[in-house]
Amino acid sequence: MRANELAFTIMTGSGLFQGAVARWLAAHGEGSRRQGSAALSATYRAGGSSYGIDLAAYLVARLPATHAAVSRVLAEAALARPGLHPRSVLDAGAGPGTAAWAAVEAWPGIDRVTFLDTAPDFLRLAMALAADGPEPLAPYRPRPGPAR
């Protein structure tokens, strides 16, 4: 196990999330993650967007800390508002769906998740990871109910 993969394992909460990311990385994570991470940081520092970035580098370099931070904030929100029981999540600027995963982990009663991102590659990644997750994270799975 690489050091950056170990950091991912330590910093993310959900075994399901870890598994989804690990499977995606195994299938798509070719190349140097160190070079990809450096290029990703340079792009963001220069004010660049997420279009065309190395998604595997993002998952290894950025996702663990982002997931940990979002999970912490949601845990604090749950403590501050014990009666809060959200039923849906809009993950705006979804990236790989990090906040949605953290929200579903914090509030298992969530039954609908919507991913919103301007980067098509991130939306595809979010949906690919969600396919391995709990039902609310799979927005394109057929759901029972009335046709819209």
Side-chain angles (χ1 to χ4, degrees), residues 87-89 100 104 108-115 126-127 130-131 133-148:
R87 303 295 296 163
S88 64
V89 171
V104 169
I110 290 173
D111 61 14
R112 186 177 69 245
V113 170
T114 302
F115 297 119
M127 290 184 287
E135 182 60 30
L137 286 169
Y140 293 97
R141 285 186 192 154
R143 296 183 186 277
R148 296 181 191 196

Side-chain angles (χ1 to χ4, degrees), residues 58-109:
Y58 183 94
L59 290 175
V60 171
R62 300 281 179 154
L63 178 92
T66 302
H67 185 270
V70 172
S71 294
R72 174 66 187 261
V73 168
L74 296 180
E76 293 292 329
L79 285 173
R81 299 276 314 270
L84 180 64
H85 302 290
R87 303 295 296 163
S88 64
V89 171
L90 170 61
D91 190 348
T98 311
W101 278 88
V104 169
E105 292 164 359
W107 292 289

Side-chain angles (χ1 to χ4, degrees), residues 10-71:
I10 291 169
M11 294 179 74
T12 57
S14 166
L16 287 174
F17 195 30
Q18 288 176 20
V21 171
R23 282 186 290 283
W24 193 92
L25 285 171
H28 300 91
E30 298 299 320
S32 168
R33 294 193 180 126
R34 179 170 287 168
Q35 288 175 331
S37 296
L40 176 67
S41 292
T43 297
Y44 285 155
R45 275 193 222 106
S49 73
S50 297
Y51 286 98
I53 65 167
D54 180 340
L55 296 176
Y58 183 94
L59 290 175
V60 171
R62 300 281 179 154
L63 178 92
T66 302
H67 185 270
V70 172
S71 294

